[in-house]
Amino acid sequence: MYEALTMFIPVLATDSYGEWIVDKENDGTPENSIQWPFVNYGEAVVKLEKEIYRFDEEHPDFGLKRYGDILNASGIEWSTGSMKRADVSSLDGKTVMALLPGAVRAERFCDGALLGFCKDGSVIKWLGRLNEIDENEIF
């Protein structure tokens, strides 16, 4: 069920995820306004993000637009620390999936949030749990 997402595990394991772009050329004057720092995400992260949105569209029964409620029901806050510390080893697929849009949407409020979840291994850990769920699924 999660193969389109878990296929990113080996790619992300060797990817740089992205880099911060910081404007060092402009001085902040009206003629040379400074561009705020932003993350230029790598190709793998951009594709994974699209795949997360696609999964959400194709599985409305998961209710991933309410990812915060799903996480809270499992004792996980929609916060960087709580999501990173979450023990996913016994979570079901719906709850693990809620972590992914939670991380993607965190980027809207804090530039670099998704980069942090990638760099600390959280995203690979979550995808790994989805892979375990797929492997243990009985048809």
Side-chain angles (χ1 to χ4, degrees):
M1 167 177 251
Y2 305 108
E3 299 88 3
L5 295 163
T6 59
M7 67 176 250
F8 286 94
I9 294 171
V11 177
L12 290 172
T14 60
D15 194 62
S16 67
Y17 309 119
E19 64 178 330
W20 278 98
I21 305 298
V22 179
D23 183 357
K24 296 179 182 175
E25 296 177 13
N26 296 302
D27 59 10
T29 61
E31 300 82 27
N32 296 305
S33 60
I34 295 175
Q35 180 175 354
W36 291 104
F38 65 95
V39 177
N40 183 23
Y41 282 100
E43 184 178 349
V45 175
V46 171
K47 287 181 179 180
L48 174 62
E49 182 178 359
K50 288 179 184 176
E51 202 56 46
I52 292 166
Y53 281 118
R54 187 192 62 73
F55 185 94
D56 180 31
E57 289 173 12
E58 291 180 2
H59 298 88
D61 53 310
F62 273 55
L64 294 177
K65 290 185 179 24
R66 299 188 57 86
Y67 55 88
D69 293 338
I70 296 168
L71 295 174
N72 282 333
S74 293
I76 303 167
E77 293 178 26
W78 182 56
S79 70
T80 303
S82 183
M83 291 169 63
K84 287 181 178 187
R85 288 187 305 270
D87 177 8
V88 298
S89 63
S90 61
L91 294 180
D92 64 0
K94 179 178 177 177
T95 306
V96 176
M97 278 302 306
L99 289 163
L100 292 165
V104 168
R105 298 214 174 106
E107 182 72 21
R108 293 181 179 181
F109 300 100
C110 178
D111 286 341
L114 181 56
L115 182 64
F117 285 115
C118 289
K119 283 191 169 186
D120 75 5
S122 294
V123 171
I124 290 177
K125 176 177 70 171
W126 302 336
L127 294 175
R129 175 61 182 142
L130 293 175
N131 193 50
E132 289 173 3
I133 292 169
D134 270 348
E135 288 174 352
N136 293 323
E137 192 171 285
I138 300 172
F139 295 97

